[in-house]
């Protein structure tokens, strides 16, 4: 797995800036048209890195689906790798999982959990499911006795399957 | 009340504004021409192709039902499905409410068995693709679902003890061939069930634990045979599938299959109408639960939907983790990872598949909406939910934008002409 430990943490790391601030100057109908054209597509500036430091930089977390591509509506697993900022594996971490679709106002359809520690700072995250295409957030809260609690949010865009030839 | 009227006025104003805009927009009906029709943007093309029936994978195996692929179980299930002896008045079978001639539903707003139910009968074709059964998903397999209506007081109104006697009397050899010897039921009461009337419950308590277990196992096995039959029910290709097939092959005359209005409706379905965000895939459902603010049938007793169903499925003796399941615990992943505390599930119902939808009004979980015109209008109006919060949003033209609009679903804005096109598209799904 590719571990980027460079501290490229944006101030507002996982949420993109509201896109409609400029449009607010125009008349309401125009604004609405702008909103509509953007409703189904994930924001262009979305940071899709699957390896990133936690908010307070206590850990560096990398996540990876166990199999790709991720099928819509299928339960599947991810591997989560937790390291210190210096790159040492973090063992015995408690990891809580949350997430959802910011553009649709709903959470994950399942309640995924880390079910097993795989060694070397790696953890098995089971029970993930994405029920539609689009922008999903995967939020992890990592806690260890040594370094305490910290949080990180990843963005994942689920796209339509490539059509199977009939 | 006044408030309500004000709201309606606001919606109408919003509609007018939206209508004025889309009339000049290239997707408006007024600008139709045959060349434009077949021009699909790459995202649109991928989206429409994902709706084709031939993209539907085989339904996943149900590890909790060991007989689901057995021809003998399918045959037994077919007979049980249509057997009205399996009811308290000998007049109700599964097929009473799931009529094979009506897409396995009954065209009624709410189910009518030995009594009147509170929800609409669901078409059951393709149920093997649904991890959760019923409008609220309170069952986690087709066999566990099937044992529900048999003991429901207003559906079949019977009890598992009586059904065990019926199996012994009418289906003994078929049952024994599939599931092994039938226990001796001779000394047991005629009627008994842990879920039945007070008298049936007392009779059930008077039975010893082994007999109770034997009877519940016969009952579960009836469900497994019925499920095996149900899983064989498949959709046949629709007019939409024929059209998409022609488009995918670059056929020059796909417009002879769908009209310009229907094609524009398809474009709206996968685009501006946002329908595909919940009604996705070849069955046009995400198999998930959403609160879409459909008004309850009885405003005094709003239906909590999924929120009330989660504890039920977790406690169900016939769930994937229960003693009558054939699955290993680690095969019960849907149940193991069920979302138990998601606030969005208050008042949420399962997204119904839309194949054949125009032939089976009325609509929604309790038949609250009579026509497809009114269904589409519901999405544009997007009323507040009676219980919980609707995932849909409506326009608030009087409000200043806050910049937070992107954090929720955008309103579905469709002109009157676009709403009509969307309705005509829904007529292509059979």
């Amino acid at each position: 797995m590719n571990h980027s430990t460079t501290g490229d943490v944006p101030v507002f790391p996982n949420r993109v800036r509201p896109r409609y601030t400029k449009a607010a100057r125009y008349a309401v109908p125009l604004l609405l048209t702008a909103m509509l054209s953007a409703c189904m597509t994930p924001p262009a500036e979305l940071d899709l890195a699957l390896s990133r430091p936690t908010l307070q930089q206590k850990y560096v977390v990398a996540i990876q689906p166990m199999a790709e591509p991720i099928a819509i509506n299928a339960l599947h697993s991810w591997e989560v790798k937790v390291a210190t900022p210096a790159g040492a594996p973090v063992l015995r971490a408690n990891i809580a999982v949350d997430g959802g679709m910011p553009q649709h106002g709903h959470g994950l359809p399942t309640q995924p959990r880390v079910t097993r520690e795989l060694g070397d700072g790696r953890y098995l995250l089971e029970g993930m499911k994405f029920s539609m295409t689009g922008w999903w957030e995967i939020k992890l809260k990592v806690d260890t006795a040594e370094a305490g609690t910290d949080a990180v949010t990843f963005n994942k865009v689920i796209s339509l399957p490539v059509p199977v030839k009939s | 009340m006044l408030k309500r009227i004000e709201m309606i006025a606001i919606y109408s104003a919003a509609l007018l504004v939206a209508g004025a805009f889309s009339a000049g927009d290239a997707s408006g009906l007024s600008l139709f021409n045959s060349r434009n029709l077949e021009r699909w943007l790459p995202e649109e093309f991928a989206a429409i192709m994902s709706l084709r029936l031939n993209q539907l994978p085989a339904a996943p195996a149900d590890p909790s039902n060991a007989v689901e692929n057995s021809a003998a179980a399918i045959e037994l299930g077919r007979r049980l499905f249509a057997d009205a002896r399996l009811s308290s008045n000998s007049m109700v079978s599964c097929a009473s409410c799931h009529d094979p001639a009506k897409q396995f539903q009954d065209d009624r707003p709410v189910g009518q068995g030995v009594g009147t139910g509170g929800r609409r009968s669901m078409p059951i074709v393709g149920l093997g693709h649904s991890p959760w059964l019923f409008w609220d998903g309170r069952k986690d397999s087709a066999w566990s679902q099937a044992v529900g209506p048999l003991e429901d007081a207003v559906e079949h109104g019977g009890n598992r003890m009586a059904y065990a006697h019926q199996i012994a009397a009418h289906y003994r050899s078929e049952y024994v061939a599939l599931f092994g010897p039938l226990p001796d039921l001779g000394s047991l009461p005629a009627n008994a069930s842990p879920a039945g009337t007070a008298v049936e419950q007392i009779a059930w308590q008077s039975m010893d634990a082994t007999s109770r277990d034997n009877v519940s196992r016969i009952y579960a096995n009836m469900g497994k045979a019925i499920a095996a039959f149900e899983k064989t029910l498949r959709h046949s290709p629709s007019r939409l599938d024929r059209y998409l097939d022609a488009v995918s092959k670059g056929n020059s005359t796909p417009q002879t299959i769908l009209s310009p209005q229907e094609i524009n409706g398809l474009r709206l379905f996968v685009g501006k109408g946002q329908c595909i965000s919940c009604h996705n895939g070849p069955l046009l459902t995400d198999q998930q639960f959403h609160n879409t603010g459909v008004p309850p049938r009885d405003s005094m007793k709003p239906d909590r939907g999924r929120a009330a169903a989660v504890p039920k499925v977790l406690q169900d003796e016939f769930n994937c983790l229960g003693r009558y399941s054939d699955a290993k615990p680690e095969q019960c992943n849907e149940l193991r990872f069920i979302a138990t505390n998601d606030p969005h599930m208050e008042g949420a119902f399962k997204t119904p598949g839309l194949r054949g939808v125009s032939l089976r009004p009325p609509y929604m979980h309790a038949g609250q909406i009579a026509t497809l015109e009114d269904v589409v209008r519901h999405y544009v109006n997007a009323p507040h939910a009676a219980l919980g919060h609707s995932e849909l949003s409506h326009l608030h033209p009087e409000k200043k934008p806050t910049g937070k609009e992107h954090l929720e679903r955008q309103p579905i804005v469709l002109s009157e002409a676009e709403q009509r096109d969307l309705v005509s598209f829904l007529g292509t799904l059979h």
Side-chain angles (χ1 to χ4, degrees):
Chain A
M1 205 179 289
N2 171 21
H3 272 223
S4 112
T5 40
T6 46
D8 56 342
V9 206
V11 200
F12 201 13
N14 310 309
R15 278 276 153 74
V16 243
R17 247 164 239 288
R19 313 193 67 203
Y20 312 114
T21 40
K22 263 194 217 152
R25 280 188 278 127
Y26 301 104
V28 169
L30 246 186
L31 169 75
L32 295 173
T33 322
M35 276 159 52
L36 280 172
S37 57
C39 71
M40 301 287 289
T41 31
E45 316 87 324
L46 210 55
D47 183 343
L48 296 174
L50 290 183
S51 173
R52 55 200 311 162
T54 50
L55 273 180
Q56 303 167 42
Q57 312 215 30
K58 290 181 181 171
Y59 309 100
V60 174
V61 181
I63 62 171
Q64 191 179 46
M66 302 289 268
E68 279 189 289
I70 298 171
I72 295 173
N73 251 334
L75 280 171
H76 64 281
S77 305
W78 289 63
E79 186 185 287
V80 179
K81 188 159 185 166
V82 187
T84 64
V90 171
L91 309 181
R92 290 178 304 279
N94 279 316
I95 303 173
V97 190
D98 196 4
M101 292 195 94
Q103 290 169 311
H104 292 272
H106 64 72
L108 294 175
T110 54
Q111 206 163 288
R113 282 194 308 277
V114 168
T115 51
R116 222 165 350 133
E117 190 164 347
L118 302 169
D120 206 23
R122 295 172 308 122
Y123 299 81
L124 179 64
L125 168 56
E126 283 191 274
M128 288 290 289
K129 188 193 265 190
F130 301 113
S131 47
M132 56 169 89
T133 56
W135 168 30
W136 290 83
E137 285 183 331
I138 303 170
K139 303 179 181 187
L140 302 184
K141 206 183 267 171
V142 180
D143 184 33
T144 61
E146 297 78 22
T149 305
D150 205 353
V152 59
T153 300
F154 298 96
N155 300 303
K156 178 77 189 163
V157 174
I158 300 296
S159 39
L160 280 167
V162 181
V164 180
K165 270 265 160 20
S166 48
Chain B
M1 204 56 212
L2 224 159
K3 205 152 185 195
R4 186 157 220 157
I5 293 165
E6 273 170 30
M7 296 283 263
I8 293 170
I10 290 164
Y11 299 148
S12 331
L15 274 176
L16 279 176
V17 170
F21 262 76
S22 56
D25 147 357
S27 62
L29 193 58
S30 52
L31 292 191
F32 261 138
N33 70 49
S34 56
R35 284 232 325 278
N36 253 338
L37 275 176
E38 299 315 319
R39 227 186 271 145
W40 296 97
L41 298 170
E43 312 89 85
E44 287 176 331
F45 188 78
I48 63 173
M49 288 298 145
S50 71
L51 301 176
R52 285 180 296 168
L53 190 58
N54 63 19
Q55 303 298 297
L56 186 67
D62 175 4
S64 70
N65 183 357
V67 300
E68 70 166 351
N69 293 317
S70 147
I74 293 169
E75 194 44 42
L76 174 59
R78 184 193 314 280
R79 291 170 60 195
L80 295 175
F81 192 86
D83 190 341
R85 288 174 299 196
L86 304 175
S87 62
S88 59
N89 62 2
S90 300
M91 283 163 61
V92 179
S93 73
C94 308
S96 310
C97 304
H98 302 286
D99 180 349
K102 294 178 178 161
Q103 301 183 49
F104 290 88
Q105 53 89 58
D106 58 11
D107 293 343
R108 297 172 190 272
V110 293
Q112 185 67 49
V114 301
T116 304
R119 294 206 187 126
R120 200 186 101 223
S121 306
M122 307 172 81
I124 61 182
V125 181
L127 89 169
H129 294 271
S130 199
W132 307 108
L133 284 301
F134 281 132
W135 285 104
D136 58 5
R138 66 186 179 278
K139 290 287 190 172
D140 68 340
S141 71
W143 68 268
S144 171
Q145 189 287 325
V147 299
L150 288 168
E151 282 190 339
D152 187 303
V154 298
E155 296 192 328
H156 296 246
N159 61 84
R160 65 188 70 175
M161 187 68 248
Y163 296 137
H165 290 301
Q166 301 257 19
I167 292 290
H170 309 300
Y171 297 99
R172 177 176 289 272
S173 61
E174 294 87 341
Y175 182 95
V176 170
L178 266 168
F179 301 109
L182 265 173
D184 179 19
L185 305 173
S187 60
L188 299 178
N191 297 294
S193 161
T197 61
V199 176
E200 286 163 7
Q201 291 194 26
I202 292 167
W204 184 255
Q205 291 311 321
S206 72
M207 288 162 55
D208 63 72
T210 311
S211 300
R212 291 204 296 249
D213 184 44
N214 284 341
V215 170
S216 291
R217 190 166 299 277
I218 297 171
Y219 191 44
N221 286 339
M222 290 171 69
K224 289 177 186 176
I226 294 172
F229 161 64
E230 290 175 307
K231 216 166 167 181
T232 63
L233 304 173
R234 305 257 153 76
H235 291 281
S236 19
S238 63
R239 212 144 54 78
L240 176 69
D241 296 302
R242 292 210 302 283
Y243 168 79
L244 293 175
D245 195 43
V247 173
S248 76
K249 293 196 172 105
N251 192 320
S252 62
T253 55
Q255 294 110 295
T256 59
I257 307 172
L258 295 194
S259 72
Q261 286 76 10
E262 290 166 338
I263 295 172
N264 195 45
L266 170 59
R267 201 183 295 279
L268 295 166
F269 190 89
V270 302
K272 191 173 170 189
Q274 304 180 32
C275 315
I276 198 176
S277 64
C278 297
H279 296 280
N280 65 12
L283 298 180
L284 300 102
T285 165
D286 61 359
Q287 309 285 5
Q288 297 301 322
F289 304 90
H290 301 272
N291 183 329
T292 50
V294 175
R297 183 164 193 85
D298 178 352
S299 59
M300 303 307 287
K301 280 189 282 171
D303 191 334
R304 296 187 62 207
R306 182 63 172 165
V310 172
K312 288 184 193 159
V313 67
L314 285 170
Q315 283 154 27
D316 194 322
E317 63 178 323
F318 297 112
N319 73 20
C320 183
L321 291 166
R323 63 189 299 161
Y324 305 108
S325 160
D326 301 318
K328 298 196 196 79
E330 63 270 23
Q331 291 175 304
C332 301
N333 283 338
E334 291 287 353
L335 206 57
R336 282 174 69 212
F337 298 106
I338 186 173
T340 51
N341 51 10
D342 182 351
H344 301 97
M345 293 301 105
E346 191 67 54
F349 294 89
K350 186 163 83 173
T351 310
L354 298 181
R355 286 191 173 263
V357 73
S358 65
L359 303 178
R360 50 176 154 81
Y363 301 105
M364 306 302 176
H365 65 270
Q368 297 100 315
I369 302 187
T371 65
L372 287 176
E373 284 75 9
D374 288 342
V375 167
V376 172
R377 198 159 298 122
H378 168 82
Y379 285 104
V380 175
N381 292 347
H384 291 287
L387 210 59
H389 294 282
S390 175
E391 263 179 53
L392 307 175
S393 59
H394 47 243
L395 297 171
H396 286 287
E398 83 287 12
K399 269 201 204 161
K400 276 214 160 135
T402 59
K404 286 204 184 108
E405 284 79 4
H406 70 300
L407 292 179
E408 59 176 40
R409 185 183 281 278
Q410 303 305 326
I412 295 173
V413 181
L414 300 167
S415 69
E416 290 292 333
E418 289 172 325
Q419 293 183 42
R420 280 195 295 275
D421 290 355
L422 203 41
V423 170
S424 52
F425 162 70
L426 293 171
T428 68
L429 298 169
H430 62 270

